[in-house]
Amino acid sequence: MNVPVPFVAIGRQYEEFREEILSAFDNISRSGIHVLGTYLERFEEQFAAYCETKYSIGVGNGSDALSYCLLAHDIGPGDEVITAPNSFVASAWTIANVGAKIVFADVREDFNIDPIKLEAAITSRTKAVMPVHLTGQIADMEAILDIADRYNLIVIEDAAQAVGAKQNGKRAGSFGHAGCFSLHPLKNLHVHGDGGVITTNDADVARKIKVIRNHGLVNRDECLLWGYNSRLDEIQAAIASIKLPHLDRLNQKHMNIAKIYHEALGECVSVPITHAGNQSVFHRYIIRSNDRDRLAAELATQGIQTKINYPIPLHLQKAAGDLGYSRGDFPVAEEQALQILSLPMHPYLSDEEVKAVIEGVKSVTTNK
Ligand SMILES: *Cc1c(COP(=O)(O)O)cnc(C)c1O
């Protein structure tokens, strides 16, 4: 008999934190303060301390976090920003959203941007680089920071998938000029709706983002610039605060499951590569197979849900039509898009479910 395995199980996490969340909901509802209150302040302090940065600023979602970091560094029309073509669409549209030009550079076997390709994509108009820490593993920040230094570029980390990840002991979001996180329900640290948070060590940038997220207002009546409305509300901030002290333990579960998958599946499919010095939080556990579509279909018949993160590289999306790219421009990302398959990965997978995934993958890849 097959054990059905859901790709994610958000409801199981609610059970773990239910009492604390309900009590916070009650306190906030009774207080009548729903935005820009003490719960947000507390979460911002907590999150900055966790990432070992000086400041953190809560916003409405991870995409706004990226947009506001670009804006706060005066990036806009006439500027180019380099990112990876294999990410979630927000890594690209946020660049276009501030009026800058999206430039892609191909990735390496580990799914992260290739510093050599990144350097080759730099022009006189390049203002910033936005490495994505895809799947929960931090991109090669030593090489990227070295390039950024030499060409005087702003570095904005898209750490939406990598909250808590480390490279040589340092947390995601603490390497560049700013780090951007999503608190969307599918992310390792998530709230009950949309949410995002930014980290930085730059007091001016932190101040500017606080103005941008709140209509451009510096106080109740004075507007410094035309801004946006995108705050992390009190209820979401409270939920993030409740979960943050448990994040390392929850991420450790991701890592333990990744290790079990790794040891069991290394023989039959291509398993993810983790570089020395990196502690990936395995937001996604992505295997590669030349028979990916059949594998996914057979797993589905066994009740094992998988996903493809992501099937269409960004430069081949319709929305990217005016950028002038075509198939063949980023061969590594393009080949990976045909092979990748994300296996179920969340902290509440039971031993039985993990075993079912492994046996499912083995049953398909060894009975050809
Ligand atoms: C989720 C995600 C985002 C966007 O975050 P939202 O909160 O959904 O706006 C950006 N970049 C990457 C890599 C993501 O995975």
Side-chain angles (χ1 to χ4, degrees):
M1 201 191 70
N2 292 327
V3 182
V5 187
F7 189 69
V8 291
I10 294 161
R12 293 189 205 172
Q13 178 156 106
Y14 178 56
E15 292 307 322
E16 184 180 345
F17 297 109
R18 185 170 172 272
E19 274 175 40
E20 277 179 89
I21 289 172
L22 289 178
S23 142
F25 179 83
D26 209 42
N27 287 338
I28 293 162
S29 299
R30 284 185 167 151
S31 79
I33 297 165
H34 292 287
V35 285
L36 299 177
T38 53
Y39 282 86
L40 176 60
E41 275 170 27
R42 188 179 328 146
F43 173 64
E44 288 175 338
E45 272 169 33
Q46 230 182 328
F47 195 75
Y50 178 81
C51 292
E52 296 178 14
T53 57
K54 284 194 189 142
Y55 310 98
S56 113
I57 309 100
V59 292
N61 56 70
S63 305
D64 287 348
L66 292 168
S67 297
Y68 300 168
C69 283
L70 292 166
L71 290 173
H73 287 94
D74 298 316
I75 291 159
D79 300 328
E80 295 179 0
V81 179
I82 304 171
T83 192
N86 63 340
S87 185
F88 180 59
V89 294
S91 305
W93 72 249
T94 50
I95 296 170
N97 194 38
V98 302
K101 184 177 170 203
I102 305 162
V103 175
F104 295 116
D106 210 351
V107 296
R108 299 198 293 205
E109 290 294 291
D110 64 359
F111 305 124
N112 280 331
I113 201 161
D114 183 339
I116 294 167
K117 303 281 168 56
L118 187 158
E119 185 166 2
I122 293 173
T123 72
S124 57
R125 291 174 300 279
T126 308
K127 258 297 233 342
V129 293
M130 225 162 72
V132 183
H133 304 326
L134 208 70
T135 77
Q137 174 166 223
I138 297 178
D140 185 348
M141 291 314 291
E142 197 179 317
I144 293 167
L145 292 173
D146 172 61
I147 294 166
D149 232 30
R150 285 191 278 117
Y151 292 86
N152 197 20
L153 305 175
I154 299 296
V155 179
I156 295 169
E157 294 170 66
D158 181 344
Q161 302 192 359
V163 65
K166 286 183 179 173
Q167 186 167 89
N168 300 324
K170 267 174 71 108
R171 295 272 191 202
S174 70
F175 291 88
H177 294 83
C180 300
F181 298 84
S182 166
L183 303 173
H184 180 274
L186 288 175
K187 305 294 157 89
N188 288 31
L189 174 67
H190 64 258
V191 297
H192 289 193
D194 279 307
V197 56
I198 293 159
T199 48
T200 183
N201 288 315
D202 185 328
D204 280 340
V205 166
R207 211 173 302 125
K208 223 161 158 184
I209 290 167
K210 284 189 176 180
V211 171
I212 293 170
R213 74 173 175 187
N214 190 33
H215 305 286
L217 291 167
V218 280
N219 56 43
R220 200 179 180 292
D221 303 311
E222 286 173 86
C223 189
L224 181 69
L225 47 88
W226 305 134
Y228 295 84
N229 176 2
S230 181
R231 284 97 41 134
L232 183 66
D233 68 61
E234 288 290 276
I235 289 170
Q236 305 302 357
I239 293 171
S241 267
I242 288 166
K243 292 180 178 182
L244 184 57
H246 300 272
L247 179 61
D248 284 346
R249 172 176 58 82
L250 297 168
N251 276 342
Q252 187 59 51
K253 294 229 173 144
H254 283 244
M255 294 182 234
N256 295 348
I257 295 163
K259 189 158 180 278
I260 297 169
Y261 279 159
H262 203 85
E263 281 163 9
L265 298 176
E267 305 273 279
C268 45
V269 290
S270 183
V271 291
I273 300 158
T274 311
H275 295 293
N278 260 350
Q279 192 179 74
S280 170
V281 294
F282 287 98
H283 166 65
R284 291 283 176 254
Y285 188 87
I286 300 185
I287 58 169
R288 287 167 52 193
S289 159
N290 288 324
D291 205 9
R292 188 265 317 273
D293 293 339
R294 189 178 72 95
L295 176 57
E298 301 261 349
L299 289 174
T301 65
Q302 297 182 27
I304 296 164
Q305 283 181 359
T306 59
K307 292 242 156 70
I308 301 171
N309 304 96
Y310 300 92
I312 307 173
L314 297 174
H315 65 291
L316 301 179
Q317 292 283 0
K318 278 211 181 74
D322 62 350
L323 296 177
Y325 291 115
S326 50
R327 195 171 290 280
D329 285 344
F330 304 107
V332 180
E334 289 171 30
E335 185 185 31
Q336 287 174 353
L338 302 172
Q339 302 172 324
I340 51 176
L341 190 67
S342 307
L343 299 183
M345 174 56 86
H346 58 80
Y348 303 90
L349 279 173
S350 66
D351 293 348
E352 204 188 15
E353 288 171 320
V354 171
K355 204 165 145 235
V357 173
I358 289 167
E359 291 186 347
V361 173
K362 280 188 169 168
S363 74
V364 183
T365 49
T366 48
N367 292 337
K368 292 206 175 172

